[in-house]
Amino acid sequence: MADVLPLVEARLRTALGEPDARAAVTFLGTERVEVLRFHEGDVVRYATLGMSAQPMSDPTAVLADPVRGPRAELLLSVRPGGADTDKVLRPLAVLAASPQVEGVVVAPGASLDVGEPLWPGASFTSVLVAEPGGLVEDLDLDEPLDPVRFLPLLPMTPNEAAWKRVHGAQALQERWLTNGTDLRDPSRTSVPLD
């Protein structure tokens, strides 16, 4: 079976251009995860590369299927200059490794928490996984492999994450939209939640 990662990187380059930086992180017992950085106008995009090498499997399954199962990579878009967002590389790699390390299936609507600021001084310790397909189209693979989905990550403050647990992902996204929240602002504060 063909190696998935060169196809994934080609899709990222087609959609986002040439990366201007890349970093690799390896966690004990996992495959290497890279994070690529792309500059596009006034936005910096970080994309994981490595999460899709293996399908994600249901943590309750007795045996993980080595072929079938959802595959994904993560995308984070921020405006540069307001914070040292390049320090997000390790937290992004941690999130990308979570299916291998913790046996979770990362899907739209999920919350992922790194337990520390995403970058120095950030008020975000977690992200909301958004719907794919807007920025980078799904990458279809040969049967029986599932397509690779490119999942946008939306940084959440601890208050937003707590509110989302009670009211749901859709309600939080509607709150952001109603308030005109700039989700790419690395220094933004929590949306009004009362």
Side-chain angles (χ1 to χ4, degrees):
M1 221 167 279
D3 188 5
V4 172
L5 297 184
L7 302 173
V8 171
E9 184 168 355
R11 175 58 54 96
L12 287 168
R13 287 173 184 267
T14 299
L16 304 175
E18 288 298 312
D20 67 352
R22 65 192 311 145
V25 179
T26 304
F27 302 98
L28 187 62
T30 68
E31 306 271 337
R32 182 171 94 157
V33 174
E34 290 187 87
V35 179
L36 284 60
R37 182 181 69 191
F38 301 86
H39 274 92
E40 183 182 321
D42 66 343
V43 175
V44 177
R45 300 190 197 284
Y46 301 94
T48 63
L49 179 63
M51 182 176 170
S52 61
Q54 302 294 325
M56 294 180 274
S57 58
D58 182 343
T60 62
V62 176
L63 289 173
D65 189 324
V67 177
R68 289 188 174 88
R71 294 174 187 260
E73 295 291 352
L74 306 175
L75 299 169
L76 176 69
S77 300
V78 294
R79 297 199 192 293
D84 188 6
T85 56
D86 279 349
K87 298 285 196 241
V88 77
L89 300 178
R90 183 166 177 75
L92 270 182
V94 167
L95 295 177
S98 63
Q100 288 183 59
V101 175
E102 299 171 22
V104 298
V105 175
V106 177
S111 298
L112 302 174
D113 196 317
V114 294
E116 60 184 35
L118 291 176
W119 51 81
S123 58
F124 318 109
T125 60
S126 62
V127 293
L128 173 65
V129 181
E131 291 291 332
L135 188 60
V136 181
E137 290 182 27
D138 291 354
L139 173 63
D140 291 325
L141 301 172
D142 293 336
E143 290 291 336
L145 302 180
D146 287 22
V148 177
R149 302 171 83 197
F150 297 88
L151 302 172
L153 301 179
L154 308 175
M156 293 188 293
T157 66
N159 286 344
E160 290 169 338
W163 197 85
K164 181 253 177 197
R165 281 191 293 277
V166 174
H167 300 281
Q170 184 63 37
L172 179 58
Q173 289 177 306
E174 288 171 10
R175 179 71 51 130
W176 282 334
L177 190 59
T178 301
N179 286 277
T181 305
D182 181 2
L183 296 173
R184 295 178 180 165
D185 179 357
S187 304
R188 77 170 180 85
T189 57
S190 185
V191 70
L193 299 170
D194 45 348

